[in-house]
């Protein structure tokens, strides 16, 4: 069944009032420290190199997280590489290229944003591709059948291509800052969203498009998941990567999906596959977890590992959830006028153990071969001497990651960053 806005939702799981038997279940109380441990374990930020290294580690990490967001900003390394580095200390950019282009274990598609997604999960995205074929977004209304056919014929006969390879377009004026003057751009994007094309390779933000069947070597496409299977997949993905879920966290930026998802959650609570959780400070915001996840929750505090995270990291991107669990409200200020910024143009949250201790605005000066620390904002109690040493070591590793070439791991830097705590704080909270 397709809703009026085009989103898919199973009629068998339309929202109903919670049965009386379910209302009698007492939620499991959980304090925020325990909730942080649960979420960090689910995100694999509580252990060293949880996925190993190399292209197979990329596959394992993307499969576990469910998706890794892609973004264009590269004031430091782009977020898809940064997110993987945070969980794969020996990560090389070439590992992601190998996973996408050669191993074909990850592919690009839309989740809440453009992301790398496991190829094993592709059947769950086929219904959305079908929907976009039947009801293209208004942005693509100007794409004509002739333009689509021309692009498809060219790729079919000449092979994979980038937008730069199309040099016979009649250029038009841009309609917004991110548009292209080449009409073929919209055709490529629409055919990508429909699943006719896939991105077989990426160099920076330059994408190479290929026929999906040819890239994956299919004689026929995988069987498309049912609406109910897609809903189950989305809930299971959130439970695996978040540990403790709410409707907001499962249906991030998808308000119309909350009704069917609530019905599915209630059905799982009824058969004891999920239990309601009363999270400290959450008020009426409901949460749920698998019983086995709560049983396996470690009693000890999170080890004081240091992670310098991307603003697009799965632990950071859901701002309301981040504030509830960590008491930290991140501000993304790349598009905020300089005079109004608090944390800086591209501040990176610094996770020490299970608390956000600071946000550091950084810039990779690749020409000079160094990482520039522009602003530091502290939060909460000051770090102890050992934690300060650990942060400085993490910054040196992060700098080496920034300066390494695509086929290298983190190499020695000729000019290591100054200690973060030698940088005067801009203030704090």
């Amino acid at each position: 069944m397709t809703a009026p806005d085009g989103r898919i939702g199973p009629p068998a799981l339309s929202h109903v009032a919670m049965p009386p038997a379910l209302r009698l279940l007492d939620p499991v109380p959980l304090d925020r420290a325990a909730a942080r441990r649960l979420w960090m374990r689910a995100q694999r930020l509580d252990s060293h190199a949880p996925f190993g290294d190399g292209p197979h580690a990329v596959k394992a990490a993307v499969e576990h997280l469910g998706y890794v967001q892609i973004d264009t900003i590269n004031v430091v390394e782009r977020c898809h590489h940064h997110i993987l580095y945070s969980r794969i200390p020996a990560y090389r950019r070439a590992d992601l290229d190998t996973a996408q282009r050669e191993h074909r274990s990850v592919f690009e598609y839309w989740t809440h944003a453009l992301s790398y997604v496991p190829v094993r999960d592709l059947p769950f995205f086929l219904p959305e591709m079908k929907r976009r074929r039947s009801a293209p977004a208004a942005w693509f209304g100007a794409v004509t059948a002739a333009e689509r056919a021309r692009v498809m014929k060219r790729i079919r006969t000449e092979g994979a291509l980038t937008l730069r390879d199309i040099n016979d377009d009649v250029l038009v004026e841009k309609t917004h800052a991110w548009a292209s003057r080449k009409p073929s751009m919209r055709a490529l994007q629409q055919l990508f969203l429909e699943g006719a094309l896939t991105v077989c390779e990426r160099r920076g933000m330059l994408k190479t498009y290929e026929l999906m069947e040819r890239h994956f070597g299919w004689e026929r496409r995988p069987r498309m998941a049912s609406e109910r299977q897609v809903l189950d997949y989305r809930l299971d993905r959130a439970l695996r990567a978040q540990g403790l879920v709410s409707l907001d966290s499962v249906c991030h930026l998808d308000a119309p999906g909350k009704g069917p998802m609530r019905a599915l959650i209630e059905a799982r609570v009824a058969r004891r596959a999920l239990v309601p959780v009363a999270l400290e400070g959450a008020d009426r915001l409901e949460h749920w977890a698998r019983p086995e996840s709560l049983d396996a929750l470690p009693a000890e505090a999170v080890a004081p590992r240091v992670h310098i995270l991307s603003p697009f990291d799965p632990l950071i991107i859901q701002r309301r959830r981040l504030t509830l669990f960590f008491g930290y409200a991140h501000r993304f200020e790349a598009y905020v006028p300089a005079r109004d910024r608090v944390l800086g143009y591209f501040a990176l949250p610094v996770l020490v153990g299970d608390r956000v201790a600071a946000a550091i605005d950084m810039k990779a000066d690749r020409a000079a071969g160094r990482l520039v620390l522009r602003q530091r904002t502290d939060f909460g109690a000051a770090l102890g001497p050992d934690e300060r040493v650990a942060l400085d070591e993490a910054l040196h590793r992060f700098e080496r990651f920034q300066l390494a070439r695509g086929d290298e791991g983190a190499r020695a830097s000729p000019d290591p960053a100054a200690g973060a705590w030698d940088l005067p704080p801009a203030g704090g909270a």
Side-chain angles (χ1 to χ4, degrees):
M1 180 176 180
T2 303
D5 67 351
R7 294 185 180 274
I8 295 172
L13 290 174
S14 59
H15 176 58
V16 294
M18 184 178 288
L22 299 186
R23 292 199 295 269
L24 295 176
L25 289 176
D26 290 331
V28 176
L30 196 69
D31 63 37
R32 276 183 281 198
R36 290 193 295 272
R37 293 199 300 274
L38 188 60
W39 192 11
M40 289 183 63
R41 170 158 291 187
Q43 281 290 308
R44 297 299 188 260
L45 290 170
D46 65 343
S47 58
H48 177 73
F51 301 109
D53 56 40
H56 294 291
V58 170
K59 173 180 181 290
V62 177
E63 286 181 348
H64 178 82
L65 297 173
Y67 59 84
V68 169
Q69 185 171 339
I70 300 169
D71 194 79
T72 60
I73 295 176
N74 68 337
V75 62
V76 293
E77 185 52 79
R78 290 189 172 96
C79 70
H80 38 287
H81 295 302
H82 188 166
I83 292 167
L84 291 169
Y85 162 81
S86 295
R87 293 155 179 86
I88 308 171
Y91 173 75
R92 305 178 311 157
R93 295 162 188 80
D95 294 338
L96 178 57
D97 177 63
T98 299
Q100 179 178 27
R101 180 172 52 86
E102 297 181 19
H103 295 180
R104 298 177 175 88
S105 58
V106 300
F107 74 106
E108 295 185 24
Y109 202 66
W110 200 264
T111 54
H112 72 282
L114 185 63
S115 302
Y116 285 101
V117 183
V119 168
R120 71 168 190 190
D121 295 345
L122 196 150
F124 301 108
F125 290 85
L126 293 178
E128 177 67 9
M129 295 175 185
K130 180 180 179 182
R131 185 188 72 81
R132 289 181 180 269
R133 284 196 298 274
S134 60
W139 168 250
F140 298 105
V143 178
T144 66
E147 287 171 335
R148 293 160 52 92
R150 182 172 66 87
V151 169
M152 287 293 289
K153 180 180 179 181
R154 183 163 182 172
I155 295 177
R156 189 175 290 113
T157 57
E158 298 179 17
L161 56 74
T162 71
L163 182 63
R164 291 179 184 172
D165 296 323
I166 300 175
N167 51 24
D168 56 354
D169 270 359
V170 177
L171 301 183
V172 298
E173 292 302 316
K174 288 187 177 184
T175 55
H176 67 81
W178 293 286
S180 170
R181 295 189 64 199
K182 294 183 177 181
S184 293
M185 180 61 174
R186 285 196 193 187
L188 287 168
Q189 290 175 327
Q190 177 60 23
L191 290 164
F192 164 77
L193 291 172
E194 293 178 8
L197 301 178
T198 193
V199 176
C200 64
E201 184 178 6
R202 178 183 283 270
R203 288 286 179 264
M205 298 307 291
L206 181 65
K207 295 172 281 191
T208 301
Y209 293 90
E210 174 62 290
L211 303 177
M212 182 172 278
E213 280 81 359
R214 191 158 66 192
H215 174 65
F216 290 113
W218 295 336
E219 292 186 4
R220 64 176 60 185
R221 290 195 167 209
R223 185 172 181 175
M224 184 168 62
S226 69
E227 296 171 0
R228 172 57 186 267
Q229 288 171 330
V230 172
L231 204 64
D232 279 323
Y233 158 73
R234 293 185 63 193
L235 178 54
D236 290 336
R237 180 180 70 185
L239 287 164
R240 183 179 64 247
Q242 297 174 11
L244 181 67
V245 303
S246 66
L247 277 178
D248 287 346
S249 74
V250 179
C251 301
H252 182 48
L253 302 183
D254 179 24
K258 290 183 178 180
M261 187 59 69
R262 172 176 281 279
L264 175 60
I265 289 172
E266 290 174 359
R268 292 200 186 183
V269 172
R271 63 177 191 266
R272 305 300 194 265
L274 291 178
V275 295
V277 174
L279 175 59
E280 176 191 5
D283 298 325
R284 299 182 63 182
L285 181 63
E286 299 169 281
H287 289 81
W288 299 270
R290 289 182 172 130
E292 58 270 26
S293 296
L294 295 176
D295 291 341
L297 183 64
E300 67 276 6
V302 175
R305 300 182 185 280
V306 176
H307 293 285
I308 300 167
L309 297 176
S310 166
F312 301 105
D313 192 278
L315 197 81
I316 304 298
I317 193 64
Q318 296 195 31
R319 306 286 193 248
R320 183 181 177 191
R321 176 180 170 93
L322 175 69
T323 302
L324 174 60
F325 282 57
F326 286 86
Y328 167 70
H330 187 71
R331 294 171 58 96
F332 181 73
E333 299 177 314
Y335 304 114
V336 174
R339 64 181 180 276
D340 298 327
R341 292 175 192 149
V342 175
L343 302 181
Y345 177 82
F346 200 71
L348 307 184
V350 178
L351 191 65
V352 180
D354 70 342
R355 72 183 181 101
V356 179
I360 304 179
D361 184 26
M362 309 184 196
K363 176 182 175 61
D365 186 342
R366 297 173 180 92
R370 66 192 185 101
L371 185 66
V372 179
L373 310 182
R374 301 190 289 195
Q375 177 180 323
R376 185 191 98 222
T377 307
D378 299 345
F379 302 100
L383 293 184
D386 291 345
E387 291 174 322
R388 292 172 56 149
V389 169
L391 175 57
D392 284 338
E393 291 174 350
L395 278 165
H396 294 323
R397 290 195 305 271
F398 189 67
E399 182 184 48
R400 292 194 294 270
F401 164 63
Q402 298 299 314
L403 302 178
R405 294 190 294 270
D407 59 347
E408 294 179 325
R411 62 184 173 86
S413 168
D415 182 17
W421 305 103
D422 296 333
L423 181 69

